[in-house]
Amino acid sequence: MPTGSAGESVLYEEKLWPAPWIWMVVAGAAVASVFTFIPISIEAGIVAAVVVAAVLTTLLVLSTPRIRVTAAELQVGKAQIERRYLGDVTAFTGADATAQRGTELHGRAYLCIRGWISPVVRITIEDAEDPTPYWLTSTRRPEQLKAALTAPAQGG
């Protein structure tokens, strides 16, 4: 089982990889670059396609956030918090998830949202010194993330 930064076991881990259709957009952009540069030369078009595909793939991979839950902490993207500061955890799917990302969204919430992943989990923050009311994160496995976050926390 993977371990966290302090050697504790990881209760849940997920990378919010782009959906297949996003990769098709990358391929389409690469093909379009061929046609853009064909008037110069076919070689320039091929080089442009390779460069466009490499740059877009690199950007997507480097910007893919991770959700990691250990017994002591939660990490969502670049943010992390000790689990002792977590309150209620609620999973949303369908229209409820859409409302959480839109009309029900609090302006101070921390967001880790990916448009290609519909379900979200809202994690209430109970730190008196933190103005963030909750974290809202996309997840492909909302019930599993909720279960990991509602398991007994450690640390203190």
Side-chain angles (χ1 to χ4, degrees):
M1 177 177 275
T3 58
S5 57
E8 68 241 84
S9 65
V10 175
L11 303 175
Y12 179 89
E13 188 168 24
E14 177 182 6
K15 292 234 10 171
L16 303 180
W17 291 108
W21 68 267
I22 297 291
W23 296 110
M24 287 188 209
V25 170
V26 169
V31 170
S33 67
V34 170
F35 290 111
T36 302
F37 285 89
I38 277 183
I40 297 170
S41 75
I42 189 67
E43 293 82 12
I46 292 170
V47 169
V50 170
V51 169
V52 166
V55 167
L56 292 177
T57 298
T58 300
L59 290 173
L60 283 171
V61 169
L62 292 177
S63 67
T64 298
R66 171 190 316 228
I67 301 170
R68 178 180 276 196
V69 179
T70 67
E73 70 179 21
L74 165 65
Q75 176 187 354
V76 176
K78 294 182 180 184
Q80 63 186 55
I81 188 170
E82 293 178 43
R83 287 192 50 204
R84 65 187 173 131
Y85 295 117
L86 303 183
D88 293 334
V89 178
T90 311
F92 297 94
T93 59
D96 293 332
T98 301
Q100 288 300 311
R101 292 188 308 268
T103 57
E104 299 293 319
L105 183 63
H106 190 288
R108 287 186 161 176
Y110 169 76
L111 302 176
C112 185
I113 303 297
R114 295 298 179 260
W116 49 83
I117 302 173
S118 179
V120 294
V121 170
R122 185 178 65 202
I123 306 144
T124 304
I125 304 301
E126 295 185 346
D127 180 357
E129 296 185 25
D130 189 343
T132 307
Y134 61 87
W135 289 10
L136 188 68
T137 184
S138 296
T139 176
R140 288 187 171 95
R141 303 186 318 254
E143 293 302 326
Q144 290 175 343
L145 176 55
K146 178 181 175 181
L149 288 169
T150 55
Q154 297 175 355

